[in-house]
Amino acid sequence: MSTNVQQLFPGVYRVGGKLATKNFAPGFRVYGEKLVSVDNVEYRQWDLFRSKLAGAIAKGLSHMPIGPGSLVLYLGASTGTTPSHVSDIVGEDGAVFAIEFAQRSMRDLLNICQPRPNMLPIFGDARMPVQYEEHLQGQKADVLYQDVAQPDQAEILVRNADMFLKKGGYAMLCIKSQSIDVTQDPKKTYAQTIAKLEAGGFETLQTIILDPYDKDHMFWMGKKKN
Ligand SMILES: C[S@@+](CC[C@H](N)C(=O)[O-])C[C@H]1O[C@@H](n2cnc3c(N)ncnc32)[C@H](O)[C@@H]1O
């Protein structure tokens, strides 16, 4: 009996009951994930506990703005776990500009990007978007994805959106309450962060508490108004 494949969003699947993306670099694993072939298509299982985007999808993300052909600016790419799935989703007509400022993570990121021509690893600080402006060559992103675990997460997102996100474009932010204020009730931290994002030109579309996949994290999705 063949494995059941169900499409959840364009480029995002449930394969044999598990979240997965089509492997854009067949034969390559990024973080030890399982590869599953069905009808000559190779899928990569997407670990809900290792990727906040996967956790958000599992917890009911209502709209998925990242799809085939999207241009994504990804801030906080680390060693490429989630960015590689984003690369699978956007496919050959899309692009992922993956920004990371830790040298150690950057080494792994460079390796995982090698067989993925749609991913551009960029060594840069998300607080200083002018550092990577030249790489975008005037292009605007359809989606800004940010997972940087910094106290000024909202300010970083707004600053990047002002420079690189299309009007009507989408932003996805993993809000880590413990990085903003460890002493405060996470609910208050989330509310303050969302207020800053809305003051910065966004309409909030959805918020998802990522527990049990990630503790003290909220996944926020918004749309840029202007
Ligand atoms: C939680 S990890 C990201 C995990 C990754 N998004 C994933 O799901 O596979 C946060 C990353 O953000 C990076 N980071 C933090 N502040 C940054 C900044 N200002 N500019 C660029 N990267 C930053 C850290 O070095 C770390 O690799």
Side-chain angles (χ1 to χ4, degrees):
M1 210 175 78
S2 98
T3 310
N4 182 268
V5 177
Q6 178 197 1
Q7 183 177 278
L8 300 181
F9 298 109
V12 180
Y13 305 87
R14 212 180 280 292
V15 177
K18 305 250 190 219
L19 196 66
T21 53
K22 270 185 197 167
N23 196 353
F24 188 61
F28 288 89
R29 286 185 177 79
V30 173
Y31 56 102
E33 70 281 17
K34 195 171 167 194
L35 306 179
V36 183
S37 285
V38 184
D39 297 335
N40 292 323
V41 176
E42 188 177 275
Y43 296 87
R44 298 166 56 222
Q45 281 187 0
W46 195 355
D47 191 332
L48 311 182
F49 288 90
R50 304 265 313 256
S51 168
K52 298 173 194 99
L53 182 53
I57 292 170
K59 289 206 69 181
L61 188 72
S62 56
H63 174 70
M64 177 55 159
I66 302 172
S70 298
L71 194 158
V72 179
L73 175 60
Y74 194 114
L75 307 176
S78 190
T79 53
T81 300
T82 303
S84 64
H85 286 286
V86 173
S87 149
D88 287 348
I89 297 167
V90 304
E92 62 186 357
D93 296 328
V96 186
F97 291 84
I99 316 294
E100 175 54 52
F101 80 165
Q103 249 166 16
R104 255 198 87 168
S105 303
M106 200 61 202
R107 274 202 296 273
D108 291 341
L109 186 63
L110 286 168
N111 286 335
I112 78 113
C113 289
Q114 230 160 21
R116 295 178 171 272
N118 67 0
M119 267 185 95
L120 186 70
I122 301 171
F123 186 56
D125 186 335
R127 287 171 296 208
M128 289 180 260
V130 284
Q131 283 185 352
Y132 40 89
E133 189 177 10
E134 64 178 310
H135 292 283
L136 278 103
Q137 298 180 325
Q139 299 173 90
K140 295 272 183 182
D142 300 300
V143 181
L144 174 54
Y145 186 98
Q146 182 180 310
D147 181 16
V148 294
Q150 290 286 351
D152 52 344
Q153 289 162 46
E155 290 84 350
I156 292 173
L157 187 130
V158 170
R159 200 173 307 147
N160 277 273
D162 284 346
M163 283 182 71
F164 303 124
L165 186 60
K166 280 182 184 161
K167 179 179 174 193
Y170 293 83
M172 298 171 123
L173 173 65
C174 306
I175 308 175
K176 184 174 182 184
S177 62
Q178 300 297 295
S179 297
I180 298 173
D181 189 341
V182 274
T183 62
Q184 184 167 269
D185 178 356
K187 285 198 196 81
K188 195 166 174 197
T189 304
Y190 298 144
Q192 287 169 343
T193 305
I194 292 169
K196 286 182 193 170
L197 296 165
E198 291 178 348
F202 282 95
E203 172 196 354
T204 296
L205 299 180
Q206 193 178 7
T207 61
I208 298 169
I209 297 295
L210 288 177
D211 192 65
Y213 304 116
D214 264 286
K215 249 182 86 63
D216 296 324
H217 274 82
M218 171 185 272
F219 191 92
W220 171 91
M221 178 164 65
K223 195 171 163 85
K224 189 180 175 191
K225 290 196 275 194
N226 292 302

